[in-house]
Amino acid sequence: MESLARSVGHTVILYLVIIVTMRIMGKRSIGDMPPSELVVTILVSELAAIPMQDPEQPLINGIIPIVVLLVFNLALSFGFLKSRFLWRVFEGKEAILIEQGRLNEKAMRRNRITLTELFEMLRLQGYTDLSQLRYAIFESNGLLSVIPYESHKPVTPAVTATQVQEPGMPQILISDGKVMKNKLKTLGLNEQWLRRELAARGVTAIKDAFIFTRDECGNIYLVAKEKRRTTG
């Protein structure tokens, strides 16, 4: 009975300590946390679990490391305000994935982001056409910031009082030099048509296309692969 009471007491006290710690760190969801705060959150949960699971462990063994982590995190946060270099070392640097409507293939490779992942992140923000975007920035916390051109910022027909043509969902027909044959067949098209469209836009071979999309209105978006320099 005494052991049970001690376990309950440890759990309640550690719960309150963790609540205070999270409140001091600020209101952020897991997805919005920079790496340093995410690591602190994980470590705090692990440290709190030890006295909870073993009532014989002194409660102070869980509280002291949590307080040390909190103080270190706060000190680091103040350091970030003073030093941009320190921020980049601990939190990383943002990457521009789309600039002036064009994909930055190097930045995508460096951040290990596939075309499928990029389109998923864009769709979650309501964008399907890359040519409408001025910038898409992959932030250090793993979220994507999207800045469309002025002409493509969200508006409603009630505000513009104009007819709006829905282009539909663009279909990826070429991804990193590979033809999406199923999608091509669904649209009633073939590789011969694909090669003609590529040639008309200055791309001589399918393998030289990084991405090729076509929407329901027939609008095409094409990005050729970057030509890599060879040495020797």
Side-chain angles (χ1 to χ4, degrees):
M1 196 68 182
E2 182 181 348
S3 177
L4 177 61
R6 189 183 297 114
S7 179
V8 171
H10 283 191
T11 301
V12 171
I13 293 172
L14 287 168
Y15 170 79
L16 296 174
V17 169
I18 293 172
I19 288 294
V20 172
T21 301
M22 294 295 104
R23 290 283 291 162
I24 293 174
M25 286 176 60
K27 295 180 179 179
R28 299 199 199 201
S29 66
I30 293 295
D32 294 332
M33 284 185 176
S36 61
E37 290 189 6
L38 181 59
V39 169
V40 170
T41 303
I42 294 171
L43 288 176
V44 165
S45 64
E46 291 294 326
L47 290 169
I50 297 172
M52 286 183 186
Q53 294 171 353
D54 185 3
E56 300 303 321
Q57 284 278 346
L59 186 58
I60 199 69
N61 288 353
I63 294 178
I64 289 179
I66 291 175
V67 173
V68 170
L69 278 175
L70 175 61
V71 172
F72 178 75
N73 181 257
L74 292 176
L76 202 57
S77 298
F78 283 113
F80 292 158
L81 296 175
K82 300 294 183 179
S83 172
R84 181 67 179 171
F85 173 77
L86 190 64
W87 167 268
R88 288 185 176 180
V89 169
F90 279 86
E91 309 298 351
K93 182 182 178 182
E94 67 279 359
I96 299 176
L97 303 183
I98 298 175
E99 186 171 5
Q100 303 299 340
R102 295 189 63 83
L103 284 172
N104 187 335
E105 191 178 342
K106 289 182 179 178
M108 290 183 66
R109 285 200 304 269
R110 188 167 56 247
N111 289 276
R112 298 178 297 283
I113 298 174
T114 65
L115 287 170
T116 302
E117 290 171 332
L118 177 60
F119 270 89
E120 181 181 347
M121 288 188 285
L122 291 174
R123 287 195 298 271
L124 288 172
Q125 299 205 37
Y127 294 96
T128 57
D129 190 345
L130 300 183
S131 63
Q132 297 178 357
L133 307 179
R134 189 174 183 184
Y135 293 104
I137 304 168
F138 189 58
E139 306 291 357
S140 59
N141 62 359
L143 299 179
L144 189 71
S145 299
V146 177
I147 304 173
Y149 286 104
E150 288 293 328
S151 58
H152 293 291
K153 287 187 175 180
V155 293
T156 63
V159 174
T160 59
T162 59
Q163 292 290 331
V164 178
Q165 184 184 27
E166 295 291 345
M169 177 70 70
Q171 297 293 326
I172 301 176
L173 302 182
I174 299 178
S175 176
D176 200 8
K178 296 179 181 178
V179 178
M180 305 291 104
K181 294 183 179 180
N182 289 339
K183 292 184 179 180
L184 198 63
K185 185 178 180 181
T186 301
L187 295 175
L189 304 171
N190 53 42
E191 288 193 28
Q192 187 178 359
W193 171 87
L194 200 57
R195 293 179 192 278
R196 283 201 307 268
E197 294 294 331
L198 290 173
R201 292 164 174 78
V203 178
T204 57
I206 290 176
K207 64 181 178 63
D208 294 329
F210 184 57
I211 183 171
F212 182 104
T213 70
R214 181 183 184 272
D215 63 27
E216 294 172 14
C217 293
N219 299 316
I220 289 172
Y221 180 81
L222 169 66
V223 176
K225 283 187 177 181
E226 297 176 352
K227 294 182 179 180
R228 302 177 187 176
R229 296 179 182 177
T230 57
T231 59

